[in-house]
Amino acid sequence: MLITREQDWWKKAVIYQVYPRSFQDSNGDGIGDIQGLIGRLSYLEKLGIDCIWLSPVCKSPQDDNGYDISDYQNIDPMFGTLEDMEQLFAEAGKHGIGILMDLVLNHSSDEHRWFQEAVKSRENPYHDYYVWRDGVEGEYPNDMRSVFGGPAWQWVPELGQYYFHQFSVKQPDLNWENPKVRREIYDMINWWLDQGVAGFRLDVIDQIAKDPELKVTCNGPRLHEFIRELSRETFQRGHYLTVGEAWGADVERAKLYSAPDGSEFSMVFQFEHICLDQIPGKEKWDLAPLPFLKLKEVMEKWQTELYGCGWNSLFWNNHDLPRIVSRWGNDGIYREESAKMLALLLHGMQGTPFIYQGEELGMTNVRFAPEDYRDIETVNLYRERLEAGYSQESVMESIYAKSRDNARTPMQWDDSENAGFTGGTPWIKVNPNYQEINAAEQMTRETSVWSFYRQLIAFRKRYSVFADGRFTLLCREHPQVFAYIRENESERLLIVCNFFGGRPEWPAECREVCNAGKQQGMKLLLSNYSDSKKERCPEMLRPYEAVMYYSTK
Ligand code: GLC
Ligand code: CA
């Protein structure tokens, strides 16, 4: 079934990210697959989401879990076949759900046909599809480092050259300066558009316009020229949702990425808020507390400065980030309250919310033994830091807090063995708390995190203020409370969140808005304590308490 979509439909949409290898296995090999996902579409429909962002399922040696593609127009046998994919598009359509494919265009796999040709000789027509530099054996062209550790250059003795890889050695960077590369990419994207996708997520798109000579990887000089050409040649054929992953985006750049004239993408996926617990100039592994006031400032900046001239995505989680409830909430006794508070805080804002699988259950981080980690980044980090003399204990603390595998443990469907994810042995261990935290239990309980997410999604469809209201931050300097107003011509929302486990008084500023709202019949729309309804703005906020009031004007 083809869903007809209007221009800007994505402004009211909610996206759900599926990391396919960890979502649902259908054939007992321990790895999630497309048929497994098809079997769970009614779950997603019940939740109310509009689209699935599907992490890569294309053919891949899986060095970086599919972010190393060896054939962009085929499906990895581990996940299924092109026919399964066709079936997924059709079945998802029946559930009113669109599919966003993950486009990995900065690099391919070294097992891609282009690269296999490229290494044959310097004269091979595909040689220039990648980024090469001559070198004296044993000496790198420069000191650039790969994101996953080690040098960004790999020596190919037969050619007497190095190739450039910002990620693993098995992810050689594509040379976007070569117009033939760009043409091949556009043709491939157009082919996917013809298969019936609803749009794309563009992996590390801000790194495509690299210039290793100048040691530039992110935001290269030709970046927006390339993106505009890409958009013109592909997405502008219809009303697609396109989201560019951009770790290096500031607000000004985001305005380009998400310009309302549609010249680049629909929206940007930027990380400023989520990197705040990282010390500038240090690695993410060097743990630091979250500067709460700074979080408010950064969120406010994005909410106000993009208003009317750009579009943001809203997220706490993805497959590269630890679980938010463990990170900035409380995964102990206030797990449910804090998971809901974080959800409400984010889903009240302007932008397109992205929910990462299991977030809607309040799934938590894991603490595995070193040998149980699977992620290439984590495995490399462990080895490198031990070699560099860090203590085992401190390395494991970093991994517990920030490893990408925190997000990659299997989806917790029910309390049966392996959480209902697989009948076989899962490729990565299941979080041992699945008997307590699972979808089956939460779907039948009105007070669950799942039910809370479901209501938030429904509100975004019901009240237009969620999509178009202006944002005003309240209580800017309050050390515990995050509160704001959203308002358009006819509606108003007040959101008050106690971000921590204390019991602060209701801030006067919020109380005033609440009292003034009484005339307009301001009512409680949602809260994470079942008895918040009894009183309008009581004396105190309880641990992680979050409330959302609504009125018409
Ligand atoms: C993006 C992906 C990440 C991957 C990297 C390289 O950041 O989200 O998972 O490792 O790009 O493709
Ligand atoms: Ca499988």
Side-chain angles (χ1 to χ4, degrees), residues 279-298:
I279 308 163
K282 291 257 188 163
E283 290 188 76
K284 72 174 185 186
W285 308 104
D286 302 305
L287 307 178
L290 170 69
F292 178 58
L293 296 187
K294 186 81 187 162
L295 176 69
K296 290 200 249 186
E297 185 191 312
V298 166

Side-chain angles (χ1 to χ4, degrees), residues 19 53 64 67-68 102 104 107 148 167 171 201 203-204 245 247 271 318-320 376 404 408:
Y19 195 65
W53 151 20
D64 185 21
Y67 285 91
D68 49 318
D102 206 324
V104 189
H107 44 267
F148 295 155
F167 295 90
Q171 294 167 297
R201 177 259 187 186
D203 189 62
V204 289
E245 185 199 27
W247 288 83
F271 295 82
N318 70 17
H319 63 291
D320 296 328
I376 179 170
R404 305 195 298 180
R408 299 177 179 187

